[in-house]
Amino acid sequence: MKVRRIKNGTVIDHITSGMALRVVDILGLGSHNESILSIVMNVPTGNGGTKDIVKVENRELKKSEVDRIALIAPEATINLIRFSKVTNKLTVELPEEVHAIVECKNKNCITNQHEPVEHWFSVISREPLRLQCKYCEREAEDIASCLI
Ligand SMILES: [Zn+2]
């Protein structure tokens, strides 16, 4: 499959297969966004696997933005493009805190009490990945199922 090259913007490559739409959501590139998006899913990689790619025209994502996708696409690479050339490559790193991406499953937690409080976790371990709610201190179990 051929996707047109972009002149200016951001290419997010090596996204875990099937996660492209979630990446778009987490980065806020969905409905209220005016950039032209190209989403390519299940692209064969050299080693027999597949990956997704998202291209965002005329917008350069910031490091703090791309780090938000670390939970769902830890292998992603980000290329910033200016005048059709890659000017900067970023890798995704899990931040110290995860804001409004993972939800707390504790029914009594303030984040589940219809208060205007967003889910907020501290990363207490990276290998293996462990997240703890900032409010009730409950640890997230099965993090993939807690993604908002
Ligand atoms: Zn909680």
Side-chain angles (χ1 to χ4, degrees):
M1 191 181 297
K2 265 237 185 295
V3 180
R4 67 184 178 137
R5 290 176 150 272
I6 64 174
K7 198 168 173 204
N8 295 294
T10 307
V11 175
I12 310 168
D13 200 354
H14 300 284
I15 298 169
T16 313
S17 229
M19 288 295 176
L21 296 176
R22 215 143 206 190
V23 165
V24 167
D25 263 358
I26 287 179
L27 293 176
L29 297 171
S31 42
H32 300 295
N33 157 67
E34 304 201 333
S35 308
I36 299 169
L37 282 188
S38 311
I39 299 170
V40 196
M41 300 179 78
N42 302 317
V43 182
T45 59
N47 56 17
T50 57
K51 64 178 182 180
D52 290 356
I53 304 170
V54 173
K55 298 187 178 197
V56 190
E57 293 192 35
N58 300 320
R59 184 162 157 204
E60 294 191 2
L61 296 174
K62 294 189 206 66
K63 176 92 176 116
S64 58
E65 292 180 279
V66 300
D67 282 347
R68 303 186 71 217
I69 66 174
L71 282 177
I72 57 160
E75 312 294 327
T77 58
I78 287 84
N79 294 324
L80 302 181
I81 317 280
R82 280 187 198 164
F83 303 107
S84 306
K85 289 210 165 67
V86 176
T87 57
N88 200 358
K89 285 177 183 277
L90 305 173
T91 49
V92 168
E93 283 173 289
L94 192 63
E96 301 281 309
E97 295 182 339
V98 180
H99 202 225
I101 300 173
V102 174
E103 64 181 356
C104 183
K105 293 287 188 190
N106 176 2
K107 297 238 180 325
N108 297 319
C109 180
I110 187 161
T111 55
N112 291 320
Q113 302 300 312
H114 305 288
E115 300 285 339
V117 179
E118 288 198 281
H119 293 276
W120 194 1
F121 282 82
S122 299
V123 176
I124 54 174
S125 162
R126 283 156 195 270
E127 289 283 342
L129 180 59
R130 289 172 64 199
L131 304 177
Q132 184 180 44
C133 178
K134 297 274 277 187
Y135 299 100
C136 70
E137 302 191 333
R138 171 147 338 166
E139 236 188 85
E141 290 169 39
D142 186 12
I143 290 161
S145 77
C146 298
L147 289 169
I148 293 173

